[in-house]
Amino acid sequence: MATIQNSIWIHADRITVFERTNDIAHWTDLFTEYKETRVLEQGDAYIRFELTTHPEEHRPSRTWESERWLDRPNFRITARRLAPLLPFKHMNLEWLYEEQEEGTYMTWIQEFEVDPASGLTEEQVEAHLNRTTKEQMTAIKHNIEQQTVRS
């Protein structure tokens, strides 16, 4: 089992960052990796959704279903990937939002176990997730800050 943690500071208030990063229907405007998002079920504190990525260099587009629980009072998200799971046996996530002077410190924690049937090692998956998570956090930062400047 592996756990990775990445953080980024975003020049926007915590409510804005929290709401924008949990507006699944508009993730294609926030992330660069998603070609399509589809909300399957949504309540005040729960979202079940489907994500489809853009194809990458040596990988076709991928689609999977996930779910998130929104703890608005504590600015905390817990989530998990549902299906298909490959390359994971399981994938759980936590997103934390810490208010700081003139911005928000957003942290993603990803806890996962690689399924041996995937043919990938834990080190390969960890390296990929660390790289792509940092890329996506940078895109989120840019897109939220650009939106904030325009508002």
Side-chain angles (χ1 to χ4, degrees):
M1 196 155 15
T3 301
I4 62 171
Q5 181 172 322
N6 291 284
S7 300
I8 195 163
W9 183 83
I10 301 171
H11 186 77
D13 67 90
R14 183 164 63 164
I15 293 170
T16 297
V17 175
F18 186 89
E19 293 301 326
R20 288 286 314 278
T21 57
N22 288 291
D23 183 2
I24 308 298
H26 293 100
W27 270 13
T28 56
D29 299 329
L30 199 58
F31 292 78
T32 60
E33 70 180 326
Y34 300 127
K35 175 175 74 173
E36 184 180 346
T37 62
R38 194 162 64 103
V39 174
L40 304 172
E41 180 182 345
Q42 185 164 2
D44 186 49
Y46 174 79
I47 306 167
R48 187 171 56 86
F49 55 98
E50 185 178 83
L51 298 172
T52 301
T53 63
H54 292 284
E56 296 175 60
E57 245 178 68
H58 304 290
R59 298 175 75 175
S61 180
R62 299 170 323 282
T63 300
W64 67 88
E65 189 176 311
S66 292
E67 61 186 351
R68 302 170 76 76
W69 293 268
L70 291 70
D71 178 357
R72 283 186 171 86
N74 295 302
F75 291 90
R76 180 176 178 262
I77 299 298
T78 53
R80 69 181 178 140
R81 186 163 167 167
L82 296 173
L85 283 171
L86 274 180
F88 307 105
K89 276 189 169 180
H90 76 270
M91 164 63 93
N92 298 315
L93 302 99
E94 185 173 13
W95 293 25
L96 307 170
Y97 303 79
E98 180 184 340
E99 190 167 23
Q100 294 190 342
E101 187 177 329
E102 298 186 28
T104 303
Y105 194 68
M106 183 176 73
T107 299
W108 289 0
I109 302 165
Q110 298 172 71
E111 182 265 321
F112 61 92
E113 185 174 356
V114 176
D115 187 331
S118 72
L120 299 169
T121 67
E122 185 176 285
E123 292 76 20
Q124 288 172 312
V125 173
E126 188 173 331
H128 174 77
L129 286 175
N130 264 319
R131 179 183 57 79
T132 58
T133 299
K134 290 172 186 172
E135 289 170 358
Q136 293 311 307
M137 291 180 100
T138 299
I140 289 167
K141 172 183 173 65
H142 172 78
N143 290 324
I144 289 176
E145 289 177 354
Q146 289 300 314
Q147 177 78 32
T148 304
V149 168
R150 287 193 302 260
S151 298

